[in-house]
Amino acid sequence: MSLFWRIFVLDAVGLVVAAALLLGPVTVSTPILPGEVLVVVAGLAALLTVNAVVLRVGLAPLGRLGRAMADADLLHPGARAVVSGPVETAELITTYNAMLDRLEAERAASAAGALSAQERERHRIARELHDEVGQTLTAVLLQLKRVADRAPRDLRGEVGQAQEATRSGLDEIRRIARRLRPGVLDELGLLSALRSLAGEFTTHGLTVRHDLGTGLPPLTEETELVLYRVAQEALTNTARHSGADRAELRLRPVTDGVELLVRDNGRGLGAAGGEGAGIRGMRERALLIGATLTVSSRADGDGGTDIRLRADTRAGRTATGGGRADATAAVGSRR
């Protein structure tokens, strides 16, 4: 029965009972006797109690819907309000859940387009840095060498410093180009790219160990790119913000998919526990392949943060692009 009819029937019953009492032998004395007061008050209390119970039961699903709407987050998909209550309320909750389904699908599609455009722009910038700026700096470096060979002895030191500055700038340009578009991922595969990434982030203040399991299921190019980008962003956050001196990069097969784990011994997320642009970007990428991303701070002796990405490779996610060979196999095939 709908909420409207529940309230209407209850009110109708109360009015019918009141009319029957007025038309019946029941009378009210003047002045009113204590017994008559008790009867009227008891009847009114019973009517209000039943009315309150009906409204509480009927409106409870709306309260649950309001809490579900307040907690809804498209970066944490899948949560839905429980369909219950009267007909109107159940229809409202069903419509809200359908709206969430549509919004999540539209957000995933728009995020896929945006990130695809971002990857194309990264590739273009990396190519221009490598081909244009890199070649220009290489030419400058060669010219400086010719100048150094002809320069007077007292100027060779300054020319040498210019050479070193140019060489350092060229190395930095190449490093930025590699990070913008990891050529090793396209050429040698995911495992080699992750090993290279761990080595790149291993500096004097941070040591990154890697544990990359064998026997991974076939992965699509999109899945490999998401795994690499999430690992890259997680290690970037570790190097810049965590204050850690140790980090670990793991990739291993799990039931129906693969799991990526980036762990450090830094300060953790802090009391606020807020998520910055980096973590939100990782969640956006995880949504593209239907993966689950969890970020948590550890309470053990070392402390630190765990970033865990679990990607499902079933049902259509293993058809194309999967299983690019690892570094050894790839190099062997080129030979």
Side-chain angles (χ1 to χ4, degrees), residues 282-302:
M282 287 188 278
R283 293 197 185 280
E284 292 278 5
R285 291 185 180 278
L287 289 177
L288 295 181
I289 58 172
T292 302
L293 181 79
T294 57
V295 182
S296 59
S297 293
R298 300 195 313 279
D300 55 19
D302 289 338

Side-chain angles (χ1 to χ4, degrees), residues 37-259:
V37 173
L38 291 177
V39 171
V40 173
V41 171
L44 181 60
L47 182 62
L48 292 177
T49 300
V50 174
N51 197 15
V53 170
V54 171
L55 289 176
R56 172 68 68 179
V57 173
L59 297 178
L62 291 179
R64 292 194 295 270
L65 176 61
R67 290 189 293 272
M69 295 174 69
D71 296 337
D73 186 354
L74 295 182
L75 290 179
H76 299 78
R80 295 293 182 269
V82 178
V83 179
S84 61
V87 177
E88 298 96 333
T89 306
E91 290 179 353
L92 177 61
I93 297 175
T94 302
T95 303
Y96 169 74
N97 289 339
M99 180 191 69
L100 275 187
D101 292 337
R102 186 174 66 254
L103 288 177
E104 288 178 2
E106 292 175 354
R107 183 185 180 91
S110 61
L115 291 177
S116 177
Q118 183 185 82
E119 288 297 331
R120 289 195 300 269
E121 188 67 11
R122 282 172 176 258
H123 185 68
R124 183 188 66 81
I125 295 174
R127 185 175 61 250
E128 291 184 358
L129 285 174
H130 184 274
D131 296 344
E132 302 295 334
V133 181
Q135 290 181 4
T136 300
L137 288 179
T138 301
V140 170
L141 194 60
L142 294 175
Q143 291 176 355
L144 286 174
K145 184 174 186 310
R146 287 196 295 269
V147 171
D149 293 338
R150 300 176 182 177
R153 184 178 299 274
D154 56 344
L155 293 179
R156 288 181 182 177
E158 297 181 8
V159 175
Q161 293 177 359
Q163 284 180 289
E164 289 301 320
T166 304
R167 188 176 290 109
S168 298
L170 182 59
D171 292 340
E172 183 67 14
I173 289 293
R174 289 171 177 169
R175 186 187 67 81
I176 294 174
R178 285 195 304 270
R179 295 196 65 185
L180 284 172
R181 184 63 184 179
V184 66
L185 178 62
D186 297 328
E187 297 170 1
L188 302 182
L190 177 62
L191 298 185
S192 294
L194 291 178
R195 292 191 190 100
S196 176
L197 187 66
E200 179 182 341
F201 277 92
T202 297
T203 62
H204 297 292
L206 178 65
T207 300
V208 181
R209 295 190 307 148
H210 58 78
D211 179 12
L212 307 177
T214 58
L216 297 176
L219 303 174
T220 65
E221 292 182 2
E222 292 80 7
T223 301
E224 290 188 354
L225 184 58
V226 168
L227 289 170
Y228 180 85
R229 289 300 188 197
V230 169
Q232 184 183 50
E233 184 62 38
L235 289 176
T236 299
N237 287 347
T238 297
R240 291 180 178 176
H241 309 299
S242 72
D245 59 4
R246 297 193 311 275
E248 186 174 2
L249 176 62
R250 295 183 189 175
L251 180 67
R252 60 186 58 185
V254 294
T255 304
D256 301 324
V258 295
E259 182 181 82

